[in-house]
Amino acid sequence: MVTTSAADRRQQAKEEYDAFLERCPSRQVLEMITNKWVCLVVSALAPGPSRHSDLARTIAGVSQKMLTQTLRRLERDGLVTRRVTAQVPVRVDYGLTPLGHDFAAVVGQVKRWAEGHINEIHDARRSYDARG
Amino acid sequence: MVTTSAADRRQQAKEEYDAFLERCPSRQVLEMITNKWVCLVVSALAPGPSRHSDLARTIAGVSQKMLTQTLRRLERDGLVTRRVTAQVPVRVDYGLTPLGHDFAAVVGQVKRWAEGHINEIHDARRSYDARG
DNA sequence: CAGCATCCGGATGGATACTG
DNA sequence: CAGTATCCATCCGGATGCTG
């Protein structure tokens, strides 16, 4: 096999693509914003700090697993603070860092846009589905 | 089995949750923004209309399947227009509707935030990983 | 060129049980 | 209460081949 197969070229293209993604600055943040739970957790924390169980209740539908996973991730990225109070049942409070509040503002803008245009989208869907 | 099992209750809770999601206005838009390809396609179309193959090249890494799927979805939601020109190889042009441009602006804000804060996030990650 | 159908591997995420 | 570990169903998305 001397020839470079199409598969090889595709593989190479993929690697270049991945490498490009690694380098691309906005890539990691795209990963953040394109995550349902990240958006919801940040929104839930925007008004003020909250405990693990509070969050679980506020964000109805989130599993305990995903909540913890998301909080860890946000903590690592410097958007969320985690404060442990040593008590008999341990108490853990989560809050937003300044950077986190900044991000919450962005998410809030998306949310506001959503609420302002959801009707147009619904109309578009209905007429699209009506036509087939 | 007269008793309502835990599984039943869980199932019911899930349905209520789903119903809640259905009703929630910002829910569908959250689905939109939390989609990588939606964001990228809208961004790619922001400067002006583009053909299918052009998009495929611009958004390096997108598969043909996901590109078509995403375009259909956006068309249905009234963010994208699809204009077919009858030629020998058919020509199809995609563009943003006013609503689509509006959405592109929101995505652009996210993008700008990303570029402005990616360094802070990287720093946070490094110090987090250093500590363990 | 634009698009559809199919197959399939891997990631996502929910359920459950157990620890401190 | 907060968190970890495990199992497992589902779905996303890529690869491929075919149509007009």
Side-chain angles (χ1 to χ4, degrees):
Chain A
M1 288 295 189
V2 181
T3 60
T4 301
S5 70
D8 288 339
R9 267 180 283 114
R10 252 180 285 110
Q11 181 55 32
Q12 191 188 353
K14 184 174 182 180
E15 279 161 10
E16 281 169 7
Y17 169 60
D18 287 344
F20 166 69
L21 287 182
E22 273 317 295
R23 276 184 233 115
C24 178
S26 48
R27 214 338 182 144
Q28 284 89 2
V29 184
L30 185 64
E31 297 280 298
M32 287 179 45
I33 194 84
T34 52
N35 182 306
K36 186 168 70 174
W37 300 129
V38 164
C39 290
L40 291 174
V41 167
V42 169
S43 294
L45 286 176
S50 191
R51 301 181 58 178
H52 184 103
S53 50
D54 291 334
L55 287 172
R57 238 170 293 114
T58 303
I59 312 173
V62 70
S63 66
Q64 180 274 337
K65 175 183 172 182
M66 291 319 295
L67 182 55
T68 300
Q69 203 173 102
T70 304
L71 286 168
R72 285 289 171 287
R73 183 179 178 177
L74 290 173
E75 189 193 356
R76 185 170 107 99
D77 286 351
L79 301 193
V80 159
T81 57
R82 180 168 179 274
R83 284 230 323 265
V84 182
T85 310
Q87 305 183 156
V88 178
V90 192
R91 178 197 175 95
V92 182
D93 287 282
Y94 292 96
L96 291 183
T97 64
L99 186 61
H101 273 110
D102 220 60
F103 184 72
V106 176
V107 175
Q109 294 212 330
V110 175
K111 202 172 156 191
R112 237 168 295 124
W113 184 89
E115 290 166 353
H117 295 278
I118 185 66
N119 288 331
E120 297 177 57
I121 292 176
H122 277 156
D123 290 349
R125 279 188 194 166
R126 263 190 289 108
S127 64
Y128 183 94
D129 293 343
R131 279 178 284 128
Chain B
M1 288 291 191
V2 182
T3 60
T4 302
S5 71
D8 288 339
R9 268 180 283 112
R10 251 180 286 111
Q11 181 55 31
Q12 191 188 354
K14 185 174 182 179
E15 279 162 9
E16 281 169 7
Y17 169 60
D18 287 344
F20 167 69
L21 288 183
E22 273 316 294
R23 276 184 233 115
C24 179
S26 48
R27 212 342 178 142
Q28 285 89 3
V29 185
L30 185 64
E31 297 281 299
M32 287 180 43
I33 194 87
T34 53
N35 182 307
K36 186 168 70 175
W37 300 128
V38 164
C39 290
L40 292 174
V41 166
V42 169
S43 294
L45 286 176
S50 192
R51 301 181 59 179
H52 184 102
S53 50
D54 291 334
L55 287 173
R57 240 170 292 115
T58 303
I59 313 173
V62 70
S63 66
Q64 179 274 333
K65 176 184 172 181
M66 292 318 295
L67 182 55
T68 300
Q69 203 173 102
T70 304
L71 286 168
R72 286 289 171 286
R73 183 180 178 176
L74 290 173
E75 189 193 356
R76 186 170 107 98
D77 287 350
L79 301 194
V80 158
T81 57
R82 179 169 180 274
R83 283 229 324 265
V84 181
T85 310
Q87 303 184 160
V88 179
V90 192
R91 177 195 175 97
V92 183
D93 287 282
Y94 293 96
L96 291 183
T97 63
L99 186 60
H101 275 110
D102 221 61
F103 184 72
V106 176
V107 174
Q109 294 212 330
V110 174
K111 202 172 155 190
R112 238 168 295 123
W113 184 88
E115 291 165 353
H117 295 279
I118 185 67
N119 288 331
E120 297 176 56
I121 292 177
H122 277 157
D123 290 349
R125 279 189 194 166
R126 263 189 289 106
S127 64
Y128 183 94
D129 292 343
R131 279 178 286 126

